Structures are given as C-alpha cells and as structure tokens.
Amino acid sequence: MNYHIIPVTAFAQNCSLVWCEETLQAAVIDPGGEAEKIIQQVTTKGVTVTQVLLTHGHLDHVGAAAELAKHYGVPVIGPEKEDEFWLQGLPAQSQMFGLEECLPLTPDRWLNEGDSVSVGNVALQVLHCPGHTPGHVVFFDAQSQLLISGDVIFKGGVGRSDFPRGDHAALIDSIKRKLLPLGDDVTFIPGHGPLSTLGYERLHNPFLQDELPVW
C-alpha cells in the first residue's frame, strides 16, 4: 500500500491518502479540513478515491469528510458507533474552536473490531481502540506493516483523554493489548506529528514504560 500525508488546518493534522499500487484505488483517511488542498493532492497522485475513512469523530479529523464524499460521490466509513455523539456535535465543536460551522455527519457505515476495509486489493484491518474517544478505530495493513493510528499514539506520546468520555486507562490498554502486539517493525502514521514505529515507542514512549505486557 502506498501513502501520502497531507497536513491540513491549523491543527497540522495528518490527513492520509492511501492507495493500492495495482488498482490505483484510494481512500482518504481523516480529512480534517482544506478539502481543495486534498483534492489537488489526489489529482497530482493520479489515483481514484473510492471512500473516506474516519478514525474518530473530532472536528480536526472529519472537517472535510462530507465535502470530499460529495465531490467524489463516495461513502464515509467509520468510526465505531460510540463516536456518534461527537459527529452529531460537530456544529458545537466548530463554535468551540471558532471555525466555520461543520454540519452533523452520519457515516454510511460504522466500523467494529475485526472488520476489514478494502482499498483496491489492499485489506485494511480495523481495530477498535477506545480511550481518546470511545469509538476510535485504527487501520492496519499487515502486508506493508503500516498502521494509521489516528490520535491513539504519537511519537513520544499518546492521545489526550480529557475530552468527554475519554479514558486514559482504556487508551493505554488499547495500545498495549492491540497495537504493540502487531510488531516492532510496524510503522504508524499518527494524527499529528512525525511517523514512528511501534518498536521505538515500546522502548522509549514514557507513557508505555510501566507494566509492559509480556508476549
């Protein structure tokens, strides 16, 4: 699977364009805003967008989802249904951050633990990783050892858990039980900031140094 990171908005959010090298079918993951910028990058890459994927319901990850879905005539898929209250509350999120109003969003399909999403010939495994938000999911391509982790884990950090229905203990549990066992060689694209590997974070991330799981 190929990928191209498109930083968007003042939040410097990593919108990911991922595509199947064989079919050139693509997905836009977490389009937080600046739809025109994303469309321009898609055109430059010469790929065909077939879906918009969401890891969670925060405004800085979904702000351009509806506009892109309409532009390409494709479905919005994800996150897990526990984030419905975030997506229905997008107008309030917009007001909170002083941004242009973003209308409530209902995805065409909710995702669950163990689901798979096809992008051309690539199968993305869906893992439900609550903590930052209750319905947060991540997307994993086992063949290319690439993880799109949203705001669960960052290089040297983890997602915030001080938002409504955030849970720090659940977040750390999600990382240790679901992400780290994917393997040290897995590269992840976080929602913000630089890429890293799960192996590096397992050894160096200060939030993961207590009671490491044994496998």
Side-chain angles (χ1 to χ4, degrees):
M1 183 175 71
N2 291 335
Y3 68 88
H4 175 62
I5 299 171
I6 309 167
V8 295
T9 79
F11 296 101
Q13 186 265 321
N14 291 330
C15 171
S16 297
L17 175 66
V18 302
W19 67 93
C20 167
E21 189 172 7
E22 296 171 353
T23 66
L24 297 184
Q25 291 188 6
V28 178
I29 304 179
D30 284 2
E34 298 186 89
E36 289 301 323
K37 178 180 180 180
I38 296 170
I39 291 168
Q40 183 181 30
Q41 294 288 311
V42 169
T43 301
T44 299
K45 294 298 178 184
V47 297
T48 301
V49 173
T50 59
Q51 57 207 305
V52 173
L53 305 179
L54 302 178
T55 63
H56 64 293
H58 284 164
L59 173 66
D60 61 323
H61 288 252
V62 310
E67 187 174 349
L68 289 175
K70 181 178 180 180
H71 177 83
Y72 291 112
V74 300
V76 176
I77 299 174
E80 200 267 350
K81 201 173 190 298
E82 288 296 315
D83 265 20
E84 184 175 20
F85 77 102
W86 278 116
L87 294 174
Q88 292 305 308
L90 283 170
Q93 292 191 58
S94 309
Q95 187 175 26
M96 183 189 311
F97 292 109
L99 300 175
E100 183 179 347
E101 183 178 23
C102 185
L103 296 176
L105 175 67
T106 299
D108 297 277
R109 172 188 167 194
W110 299 104
L111 291 173
N112 297 293
E113 173 80 17
D115 283 352
S116 180
V117 177
S118 296
V119 182
N121 296 329
V122 175
L124 296 178
Q125 179 183 352
V126 176
L127 300 173
H128 179 211
C129 294
H132 178 63
T133 68
H136 199 302
V137 298
V138 302
F139 301 99
F140 177 56
D141 175 25
Q143 185 171 359
S144 63
Q145 293 287 280
L146 182 69
L147 172 71
I148 293 89
S149 63
D151 284 356
V152 174
I153 187 171
F154 305 105
K155 184 173 184 179
V158 299
R160 292 175 59 175
S161 53
D162 57 339
F163 296 117
R165 294 190 62 193
D167 185 328
H168 182 74
L171 179 70
I172 299 303
D173 183 67
S174 292
I175 295 170
K176 290 183 176 182
R177 285 197 308 109
K178 296 187 178 182
L179 300 191
L180 295 186
L182 296 175
D184 285 353
D185 293 335
V186 171
T187 296
F188 66 86
I189 302 173
H192 309 265
L195 279 64
S196 185
T197 66
L198 293 178
Y200 180 89
E201 299 310 312
R202 183 175 65 84
L203 294 174
H204 302 291
N205 192 311
F207 294 92
L208 304 179
Q209 298 312 302
D210 296 330
E211 301 179 13
L212 281 172
V214 177
W215 65 81

